[in-house]
Amino acid sequence: MATPSSHSAKAGTKGVPRQHRRRQMLEAATEEFGTHGYAAASLPAIAARVGVTKTLLHQYFGTKEELYVACLVPVGDRLLDTIRAAMGEGGAAPHTPLRVLHSIFTALEGQREAWFVLYDTTLPSGGEAERRASEYWSAIDRLAAGGTADLLRAAGSTDPLDADALKYVWRDLVATLVRWWVKHPEQTPQAMTRRCARLFAAAATLGTDGHLG
């Protein structure tokens, strides 16, 4: 899981407008879920981050699962929107993977642990949280499938198994890069994008220098 971010949402709540207090609670809950995972996340810890009672947290959001969904939806919507915008409407091009990565890093900057809210492996099976998360996973997977298929067609491959394999490689690669980035908070989105460009360039040589030919 992610390491705690440097900006805990600790603040008193006396006289705080309701919408601002709600936003504080969501920021604290996103950090708690992203850092510890749904199963280990603590509602008292979330309340303490904001300086409210657990009872007030329940009054605002209901159950722990409902609070998780309230954190998930803005994260999922933001990432879906930014990936769609980065891919554009004309099909994937050679520069598209880097553009998508840059958009993901930029969307997560300031609250990197939000990635782990979206991709939480500890959600209760069959619940609303898992259902909503699965919808986002499927939508992002469809975008990845379309983009990787475009890239393969441009490279001359029409084998559907190539496309399926590359989709899985891309999904795991993005997750791995984000996890590495979370562990290196000094790396800006721009620096990470440049690093990925160097890694992609190095990987491309594997297929052209005879090592894997």
Side-chain angles (χ1 to χ4, degrees):
M1 286 294 170
T3 55
S5 71
S6 60
H7 62 280
S8 293
K10 293 182 179 179
T13 60
K14 186 176 180 179
V16 177
R18 180 179 178 84
Q19 284 303 109
H20 182 63
R21 182 181 294 167
R22 186 178 188 277
R23 185 169 63 252
Q24 288 179 330
M25 292 178 181
L26 283 176
E27 289 174 353
T30 299
E31 185 174 336
E32 178 73 9
F33 286 130
T35 301
H36 299 291
Y38 178 90
S42 163
L43 293 185
I46 294 170
R49 288 176 186 268
V50 188
V52 301
T53 64
K54 180 182 173 183
T55 299
L56 187 61
L57 194 63
H58 281 301
Q59 289 175 356
Y60 269 71
F61 295 102
T63 66
K64 179 180 180 179
E65 187 167 18
E66 288 170 329
L67 176 57
Y68 165 84
V69 171
C71 295
L72 168 70
V73 169
V75 172
D77 286 348
R78 185 164 74 247
L79 284 172
L80 263 179
D81 289 345
T82 196
I83 292 170
R84 287 194 183 107
M87 291 184 66
E89 298 181 357
H95 62 272
T96 301
L98 278 177
R99 194 166 61 189
V100 169
L101 283 169
H102 179 70
S103 74
I104 291 173
F105 297 140
T106 301
L108 293 172
E109 182 65 345
Q111 200 171 40
R112 301 182 187 190
E113 66 276 3
W115 175 266
F116 302 101
V117 175
L118 178 59
Y119 289 100
D120 192 330
T121 60
T122 70
L123 299 178
S125 179
E128 176 68 6
E130 185 185 54
R131 184 186 71 79
R132 295 297 295 272
S134 295
E135 290 175 354
Y136 286 114
W137 301 340
S138 297
I140 291 172
D141 272 359
R142 286 193 294 272
L143 291 174
T148 51
D150 286 344
L151 291 175
L152 283 169
R153 280 194 295 270
S157 172
T158 57
D159 187 334
L161 290 180
D162 281 357
D164 189 56
L166 186 56
K167 180 189 75 172
Y168 278 88
V169 169
W170 172 251
R171 183 173 63 187
D172 290 347
L173 176 63
V174 173
T176 298
L177 288 169
V178 171
R179 288 177 185 276
W180 187 90
W181 182 52
V182 167
K183 293 179 181 179
H184 294 80
E186 77 285 356
Q187 296 290 305
T188 66
Q190 294 77 15
M192 273 301 296
T193 304
R194 291 192 296 269
R195 187 176 304 280
C196 290
R198 294 194 298 271
L199 294 176
F200 289 177
T205 66
L206 295 176
T208 58
D209 63 3
H211 291 173
L212 296 180

